[in-house]
């Protein structure tokens, strides 16, 4: 007959913040006693510490430490890296540079942020860009109660919505790499804002990606676009930096509409999930990347890196809507410039260009148009050479 292991009890040493475990013992009066010790290992100071927990009362080296293990005080808040503020800001690990005009943050590429080739995905990059932008607003002191909205925007029930984003990737980071992201904002016309980003490898300081985006305001209740109120303009004006990381003509070209007759691949029945929604009550702009890739041929995903993508957001998407993803792939023979449909046998023989559309399945209303560029992965190109 199997025996059940004796339960383990734990308490926290208030001075060191370590969890120590011991086997319960019987004490006088039917009390439960747990003893554990040793704070010499794991970088401790070499002193031996004995902790006793008797029915929740904690004694440190025989003296009462706290009345109850659950009442061990939390450590005081730490200031953020390089003076970015205290409290929750300490965990954002960001800082302002260039006179508070540029916000900089570092990220480690996690195991759940890489794809089958062990490099970060385009969705990962977009998520990191979005996180840096939101933390920029939070740490600037402008944040209201919205998703990146300022105080004056929140008073007027306004939110930011992205109309276009262009991302260019020179190199994809790998699992465990640390990237450094800079972001800043500037005006875009009379009633828009532009936000740019640079991504660098922290070790080499080489720029590995760049992005630019355009944003406008929308009333979160009426869902109608709005002009920028003067009060909001005065809030954000001190943070404007007139610097472009991508030339306007590089990402600003019109994306042609993709029709059924032009599309070579169509994927229907794509359903937004609850987790695809953000706090602005619509599908988050990053989620469209995954749906775009649903209609890209598997051979392309295996053999090519997505080196550039421009997304043109045309309307909101809610959870109740079924979607379709359309794609058209063309190849540019090197060094010729004429684009032709991608033959099945020309894998990695040339760089690729693609056009995409995400639309509502029931009425065909356009949600996102996209244009992308693809470069053959180096090991795949080597395999194709004679």
């Amino acid at each position: 007959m199997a025996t059940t292991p004796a339960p383990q009890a734990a308490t926290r040493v208030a001075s060191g913040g370590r969890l120590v475990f011991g086997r319960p013992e019987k004490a006088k009066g039917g009390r439960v006693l747990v003893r554990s010790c040793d704070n010499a290992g794991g970088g401790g100071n070499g002193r031996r510490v004995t902790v006793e927990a008797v029915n929740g009362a904690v004694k440190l080296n025989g003296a009462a430490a706290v009345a109850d293990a659950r009442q061990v005080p939390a450590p005081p808040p730490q200031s953020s890296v390089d003076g970015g503020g205290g409290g929750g800001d300490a965990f954002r690990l960001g800082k302002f540079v260039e006179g508070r005009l540029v916000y900089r943050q570092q990220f480690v590429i996690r195991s759940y942020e890489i794809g089958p080739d062990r490099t970060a995905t385009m969705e990962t990059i977009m998520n990191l860009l979005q996180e840096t932008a939101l933390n920029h607003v939070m740490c600037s002191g402008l944040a209201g109660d919205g998703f990146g909205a300022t105080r004056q925007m929140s008073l007027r029930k306004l939110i930011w919505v992205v109309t276009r984003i262009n991302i260019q990737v020179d190199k994809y980071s790998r699992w465990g790499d640390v990237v450094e992201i800079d972001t800043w904002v500037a005006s875009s016309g009379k009633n828009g804002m532009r936000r740019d980003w640079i991504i660098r490898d922290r070790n080499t300081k080489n720029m590995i990606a760049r992005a630019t985006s355009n944003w406008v305001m929308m009333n979160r209740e009426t869902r109608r676009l709005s002009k920028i109120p003067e009060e909001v303009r005065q809030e954000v004006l001190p943070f404007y930096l007139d610097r472009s990381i991508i030339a306007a003509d590089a990402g600003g070209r019109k994306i042609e509409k993709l029709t059924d007759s032009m599309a070579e691949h169509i994927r229907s029945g794509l359903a937004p999930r609850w987790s695809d929604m953000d706090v602005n009550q619509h599908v988050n702009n990053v989620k469209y990347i995954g749906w775009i890739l649903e209609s890209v041929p598997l051979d392309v995903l295996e053999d090519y890196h997505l080196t550039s993508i421009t997304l043109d957001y045309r309307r909101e998407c809610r959870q109740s809507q079924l979607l379709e993803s359309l794609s058209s792939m063309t190849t540019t023979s090197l060094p010729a410039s004429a684009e032709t449909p991608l033959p099945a046998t020309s894998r990695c023989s040339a760089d690729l260009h693609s056009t995409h559309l995400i639309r509502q399945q029931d009425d065909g209303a356009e949600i996102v148009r996209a244009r992308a560029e693809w470069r053959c992965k180096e090991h795949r190109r080597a395999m194709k050479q004679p």
Side-chain angles (χ1 to χ4, degrees):
M1 178 178 178
T3 58
T4 303
Q8 295 287 303
T11 187
R12 185 178 295 275
V13 181
S15 61
R18 297 177 57 220
L19 279 174
V20 290
F21 296 87
R23 186 180 298 276
E25 305 173 15
K26 286 292 184 179
K28 292 182 179 180
R31 299 176 301 167
V32 176
L33 172 64
V34 178
R35 281 194 180 93
S36 191
C37 63
D38 192 10
N39 128 8
N45 57 19
R47 293 188 303 166
R48 184 177 180 84
V49 178
T50 300
V51 178
E52 295 182 356
V54 182
N55 285 356
V58 178
K59 289 187 177 182
L60 190 64
N61 287 341
V66 291
D68 193 297
R70 292 168 296 181
Q71 298 175 6
V72 175
Q78 300 176 347
S79 61
S80 64
V81 175
D82 293 311
D89 290 344
F91 299 99
R92 294 191 179 93
L93 302 179
K95 63 180 180 181
F96 284 94
V97 296
E98 298 189 41
R100 293 182 64 84
L101 294 176
V102 176
Y103 182 75
R104 178 172 295 168
Q105 187 167 1
Q106 296 182 354
F107 298 92
V108 178
I109 303 302
R110 309 293 185 180
S111 61
Y112 49 82
E113 295 174 324
I114 62 175
D117 59 358
R118 301 191 180 190
T119 61
T121 65
M122 182 61 77
E123 288 176 278
T124 293
I125 292 175
M126 289 190 68
N127 277 319
L128 295 181
L129 299 181
Q130 179 174 262
E131 182 69 11
T132 308
L134 292 172
N135 287 342
H136 180 198
V137 178
M138 291 290 290
C139 293
S140 69
L142 295 178
D145 60 358
F147 201 45
T150 68
R151 292 189 182 90
Q152 291 296 328
M153 289 176 62
S154 296
L155 290 174
R156 292 163 175 77
K157 302 178 181 179
L158 297 174
I159 59 176
W160 288 112
V161 291
V162 61
T163 58
R164 173 174 281 223
I165 186 168
N166 173 232
I167 304 172
Q168 299 178 8
V169 181
D170 298 322
K171 178 184 177 182
Y172 281 90
S173 300
R174 303 184 71 83
W175 178 18
D177 287 352
V178 179
V179 297
E180 181 179 83
I181 303 180
D182 285 2
T183 187
W184 62 92
V185 292
S187 63
S188 178
K190 292 183 178 180
N191 289 293
M193 185 181 75
R194 191 187 77 241
R195 177 176 286 278
D196 288 0
W197 296 266
I198 292 175
I199 304 180
R200 299 183 183 91
D201 182 282
R202 190 193 66 171
N203 292 328
T204 66
K205 298 301 180 181
N206 292 333
M207 182 169 62
I208 58 177
R210 62 191 69 82
T212 188
S213 60
N214 292 308
W215 302 75
V216 295
M217 289 188 181
M218 184 176 74
N219 186 291
R220 68 169 179 256
E221 292 187 352
T222 66
R223 315 309 284 187
R224 294 180 180 273
L225 297 183
S226 168
K227 294 182 178 180
I228 299 181
E230 186 59 28
E231 294 83 355
V232 176
R233 195 183 307 275
Q234 293 304 315
E235 274 187 312
V236 298
L237 188 60
F239 294 90
Y240 279 177
L241 176 61
D242 189 14
R243 175 190 298 169
S244 298
I245 192 60
I246 296 177
D249 56 351
R253 292 185 293 112
K254 181 181 178 181
I255 302 176
E256 298 298 329
K257 181 179 180 179
L258 188 61
T259 64
D260 287 49
S261 60
M262 299 166 56
E264 299 151 6
H265 311 278
I266 300 178
R267 178 71 183 272
S268 302
L270 302 174
R273 303 166 299 176
W274 174 252
S275 59
D276 296 328
M277 312 294 286
D278 64 26
V279 298
N280 287 331
Q281 309 306 312
H282 56 204
V283 171
N284 186 271
N285 65 83
V286 178
K287 301 298 181 180
Y288 295 102
I289 291 289
W291 291 325
I292 286 173
L293 298 182
E294 285 289 332
S295 58
V296 173
L298 180 59
D299 288 351
V300 174
L301 299 178
E302 290 178 339
D303 292 354
Y304 288 82
H305 277 309
L306 178 56
T307 57
S308 175
I309 188 166
T310 301
L311 296 101
D312 190 353
Y313 299 90
R314 308 182 72 83
R315 70 177 63 216
E316 291 185 284
C317 178
R318 303 298 184 93
Q319 188 186 2
S320 59
Q321 298 167 332
L322 279 179
L323 307 177
E324 285 185 321
S325 174
L326 290 73
S327 291
S328 174
M329 311 293 300
T330 58
T331 180
T332 302
S333 300
L334 301 178
S337 59
E339 294 185 352
T340 57
L342 176 65
T345 59
S346 67
R347 292 169 55 179
C348 275
S349 61
D351 293 339
L352 303 181
H353 299 265
S354 58
T355 306
H356 309 271
L357 175 66
I358 301 296
R359 68 186 183 189
Q360 294 178 185
Q361 186 168 308
D362 56 353
D363 59 5
E366 294 186 42
I367 297 178
V368 174
R369 291 186 187 183
R371 177 177 57 242
E373 297 177 8
W374 307 74
R375 184 181 65 241
C376 185
K377 297 176 182 178
E378 291 302 322
H379 69 283
R380 293 288 187 177
R381 191 186 300 274
M383 292 171 59
K384 298 299 175 181
Q385 293 177 349

